[in-house]
Structure formats: C-alpha cells, structure tokens
Amino acid sequence: MDVSDLPTEIFTVSPDRSLTKIYLGWMPQPGNYLEVGGKTYLVLERRHRYHLRSGRYVPLKVALFVKPTQKPTEMNLVEGSWVIGDATCRYNARSEFIRCAVNPMGPCSGCSAWEALPESN
C-alpha cells in the first residue's frame, strides 16, 4: 500500500482540533502548503499511524499538523504541487524551491524573458 493512498486526518495546532479526514492522493511534507475547505494551511508535522496485523506493522493512516496561513504570494497550486512564480511561463522550473534559471530571484511580473508555454496537442 502506498502511503499517499492512506486516509489523512488534518489537525490544527492552535487551537488543537481535528479539521477533517480526507484522502489526499499525495503526501505533503512539512513546509508544504495545503488547501482545505478554501483555506490555506502550512504543514508543520506529519505522523504515520500503524496497525499490528499478523505480526507486522502496516500503515493505517496519516496525521498532519497544520497552522492557518495566508496563501503565499507568487505561489500557485499546479497539479497538486506548489510552484513559485508564473507557472504559465516557459522557463518556470515548476518547483516550490526555485523559480527559474533566467530570473531566479523574481518577480515574474515584468520579466523580459517571459514566454508563454507552448501549447501541447
């Protein structure tokens, strides 16, 4: 069983409460952003819960501890991953750590190297 297929319970840290139980389909790491119910949260900690079955521990569920935050500027959610800068630019690195090779410090708006992504057929 892939860990990203496990049910995930999301807890806020202040106040301590459970937000929801969902299947994410991806496994956010601490430092990732997560959108739940139209609000943005920063993942602070991830814990895996296990169950003893037939003498072996098998993954049961995942607990994420998050705190509410503002949606980061110049970051967009693209196919389940956060991306810095303008994801419609050809030179965007599609990464949450680096913007692009042409203008790594940004900002994307007004960049002279900006080019639209080529359309895929």
Side-chain angles (χ1 to χ4, degrees), residues 22 27 39 51 68 81 88 106:
I22 57 176
M27 189 50 54
K39 295 183 181 178
H51 178 73
S81 298
T88 62

Side-chain angles (χ1 to χ4, degrees), residues 76-120:
N76 303 293
L77 191 60
V78 177
E79 297 175 8
S81 298
W82 286 97
V83 173
I84 297 175
D86 185 354
T88 62
C89 178
R90 176 183 189 165
Y91 300 110
N92 186 282
R94 314 283 184 284
S95 166
E96 62 184 296
F97 303 111
I98 186 168
R99 181 184 319 272
C100 72
V102 178
N103 187 11
M105 299 307 288
C108 290
S109 60
C111 177
S112 60
W114 188 92
E115 276 185 41
L117 276 173
E119 290 186 33
S120 58

Side-chain angles (χ1 to χ4, degrees), residues 16 50 57 117:
D16 293 336
Y50 295 89
Y57 285 101
L117 276 173

Side-chain angles (χ1 to χ4, degrees), residues 26-35 40-46 64-67 69 72 75 77 80-83 95-97:
W26 66 288
M27 189 50 54
Q29 301 291 325
N32 287 146
Y33 294 94
L34 182 66
E35 283 191 6
T40 303
Y41 297 92
L42 176 64
V43 177
L44 301 174
E45 185 177 345
R46 182 181 76 198
L64 293 178
F65 295 87
V66 300
K67 75 173 185 175
T69 188
M75 287 191 81
L77 191 60
S81 298
W82 286 97
V83 173
S95 166
E96 62 184 296
F97 303 111

